[in-house]
Amino acid sequence: MNYKETLFFVGKCLTINHEEKNKVLVEEKLKSLDVDWESIVKISTAHFVFPALYCNLKKANFLHYLPEELVNYMIHITDLNRERNQEIIEQAKEINDLLLANNITPIFLKGTGNLLEGLYDDIAERMVGDIDIIISKEDVLKAYKILKKNNYTSNSIIFDSHRHLPRLIKSNKISAIELHKDFLENPHRSSFNFLSTIDSVLKTDKNYSFLGDIDKMALNIFSNQITDNGFEKGKISLRNYYDFIILSKKCKLNEIYKKYPKYKKIIISYWDINFLIKFNNEKKLNNYKSSKKQIKKVLWILNNPKISKYYIKFKTYKIYLSTRFLIFIKAFYNKSNFVFVFSKLTSFEWIKRKIFKT
């Protein structure tokens, strides 16, 4: 199995409890014993879907096709992730209660929001990093100060232009907190922002708030395609894709681009890439020029992993330098930018990390 075949196989495994056709195909592949489990573990781990892979194979009753040693390892990792996610849920509850008590409504995003909503059959399925929360611009700084008074700390300064405040950590808590005032960086904030989503915010009976289904789908797409530059780089994230599989059962494609027409080509391209991973069938994709071009780029990257890694590195450095250059230029006339740039250039730890990648 080459890289593309392995990635597509993992993608199919993540859909076996949603798509009967893929369940049949995956079982046939497992029965053939022609499975490179080392590559599957490597790719699913790199894409943060290893526990989700196990949970789906278990639910489909396919574990008896796997090597026993691998199953035991999958159980161990999944149990660890379940414990971690339970701690994240408890931490999110504390933050929710604390901010609500101060008349601030936190809206939980991405993985944490999905956990609190009960999106997954097993909370162990989703690997979560930070706890991402969006708060109105009027309350976000107040929320930041409240968390700092409750022993959350940060070594970074507040950078007004950034979409979220500096990450907050607490010594006895498992996850860092990112308080967002925006979903995206400029120039995308005018189209997709707190105000465009607030009317569709949902609440659970436990008083947790999270985005409505259309906006959750939009955030899933925009985080990958815009924030992580997936559209420009042609990179695939199976973790985003797995959430997309589940969310797409609740929302249709045209509902997303009807609400956010400015991003129609990005939305359709992302939808098609996910369809391609799920079914490996180019004949049923949307016939949009931008989507065809993006599919072609993605397939080239998947078919040429050794060469394409240099292309992705080039794109990464190009994007990094262009964004940092703008921040540097603005430092000459914007106080917030100046303070941010000065703090970095006078930080020995930051310089060492950037030069030596430590």
Side-chain angles (χ1 to χ4, degrees):
M1 297 173 72
N2 59 31
Y3 180 81
K4 176 186 171 184
E5 291 169 342
T6 305
L7 186 136
F8 277 24
F9 179 73
V10 173
K12 280 186 171 59
C13 287
L14 296 174
T15 71
I16 54 179
N17 295 295
H18 300 276
E19 304 292 344
E20 187 62 31
K21 179 182 176 181
N22 281 353
K23 186 175 183 179
V24 173
L25 291 173
V26 167
E27 186 168 24
E28 288 176 356
K29 181 71 173 178
L30 294 174
K31 285 180 177 178
S32 73
L33 302 179
D34 182 27
V35 181
D36 184 353
W37 288 112
E38 184 177 348
S39 295
I40 287 170
V41 171
K42 183 178 180 181
I43 287 177
S44 61
T45 300
H47 282 260
F48 305 104
V49 292
F50 189 62
L53 177 65
Y54 165 76
C55 289
N56 278 277
L57 292 172
K58 179 184 178 183
K59 186 176 180 180
N61 196 27
F62 285 172
L63 291 180
H64 60 281
Y65 294 121
L66 280 62
E68 183 179 354
E69 185 178 357
L70 174 59
V71 173
N72 290 334
Y73 177 66
M74 295 177 95
I75 291 172
H76 173 67
I77 296 300
T78 303
D79 286 346
L80 289 176
N81 196 52
R82 187 181 295 106
E83 291 172 10
R84 172 182 167 79
N85 283 351
Q86 188 57 52
E87 288 188 53
I88 288 174
I89 290 171
E90 292 169 4
Q91 185 179 359
K93 181 182 184 304
E94 289 180 10
I95 294 167
N96 192 57
D97 291 344
L98 175 63
L99 295 181
L100 287 176
N102 285 273
N103 299 314
I104 298 173
T105 301
I107 301 171
F108 292 90
L109 308 174
K110 302 179 184 178
T112 304
N114 294 341
L115 289 176
L116 296 174
E117 183 185 357
L119 191 68
Y120 312 105
D121 291 337
D122 185 337
I123 62 169
E125 292 177 40
R126 182 57 149 81
M127 298 190 78
V128 178
D130 298 336
I131 295 176
D132 291 285
I133 301 169
I134 191 162
I135 295 172
S136 67
K137 290 184 179 180
E138 294 76 18
D139 289 331
V140 69
L141 190 57
K142 178 183 174 183
Y144 183 80
K145 292 177 179 178
I146 289 169
L147 289 176
K148 292 196 79 170
K149 286 182 180 178
N150 283 267
N151 300 318
Y152 279 90
T153 62
S154 175
N155 293 324
S156 300
I157 64 165
I158 294 176
F159 181 38
D160 291 342
S161 298
H162 203 272
R163 68 184 186 279
H164 63 76
L165 275 61
R167 294 168 77 246
L168 291 161
I169 59 173
K170 195 172 182 179
S171 60
N172 62 339
K173 296 299 178 183
I174 197 165
S175 184
I177 312 298
E178 283 190 354
L179 297 179
H180 290 251
K181 54 183 184 291
D182 285 296
F183 296 109
L184 306 171
E185 300 294 352
N186 280 324
H188 305 287
R189 293 175 182 173
S190 61
S191 302
F192 182 58
N193 51 48
F194 182 85
L195 293 177
S196 73
T197 61
I198 191 63
D199 289 340
S200 61
V201 166
L202 304 173
K203 285 191 176 183
T204 66
D205 54 1
K206 295 182 179 179
N207 223 13
Y208 297 125
S209 297
F210 41 86
L211 298 178
D213 293 333
I214 294 174
D215 294 319
K216 278 201 289 285
M217 289 282 279
L219 181 60
N220 178 283
I221 295 169
F222 300 154
S223 293
N224 177 262
Q225 296 290 279
I226 297 174
T227 302
D228 297 337
N229 299 294
F231 188 79
E232 186 166 351
K233 295 178 185 179
K235 286 193 71 176
I236 289 171
S237 166
L238 288 181
R239 180 169 62 172
N240 280 66
Y241 159 72
Y242 185 60
D243 285 348
F244 191 86
I245 293 170
I246 302 172
L247 292 170
S248 63
K249 302 297 179 181
K250 301 182 175 185
C251 181
K252 295 180 180 179
L253 174 63
N254 64 343
E255 292 180 294
I256 310 171
Y257 64 68
K258 185 178 180 180
K259 184 169 184 179
Y260 299 106
K262 179 180 177 181
Y263 299 102
K264 184 174 181 178
K265 72 174 184 178
I266 289 178
I267 292 166
I268 292 177
S269 295
Y270 187 81
W271 187 284
D272 280 353
I273 289 167
N274 281 277
F275 187 91
L276 182 67
I277 297 170
K278 192 191 299 184
F279 295 113
N280 196 15
N281 187 342
E282 293 184 62
K283 294 181 181 179
K284 293 187 177 182
L285 302 180
N286 293 284
N287 292 316
Y288 283 85
K289 185 178 179 180
S290 59
S291 182
K292 287 181 178 179
K293 184 178 179 181
Q294 191 69 5
I295 291 291
K296 186 178 180 180
K297 181 197 293 187
V298 169
L299 288 175
W300 177 81
I301 288 171
L302 293 178
N303 287 321
N304 302 277
K306 292 183 179 179
I307 300 173
S308 62
K309 69 179 182 180
Y310 296 106
Y311 167 81
I312 292 172
K313 280 186 178 180
F314 169 75
K315 285 287 186 179
T316 300
Y317 283 122
K318 179 183 175 183
I319 293 165
Y320 179 84
L321 290 174
S322 63
T323 54
R324 294 306 184 273
F325 178 74
L326 289 175
I327 292 172
F328 180 77
I329 293 299
K330 287 183 179 180
F332 288 98
Y333 60 85
N334 182 284
K335 183 178 179 181
S336 177
N337 283 62
F338 174 80
V339 173
F340 176 77
V341 171
F342 183 78
S343 71
K344 297 300 182 185
L345 294 179
T346 55
S347 169
F348 175 74
E349 289 298 322
W350 182 83
I351 294 172
K352 184 175 72 171
R353 188 170 68 250
K354 292 299 178 182
I355 295 176
F356 300 106
K357 303 296 181 182
T358 57

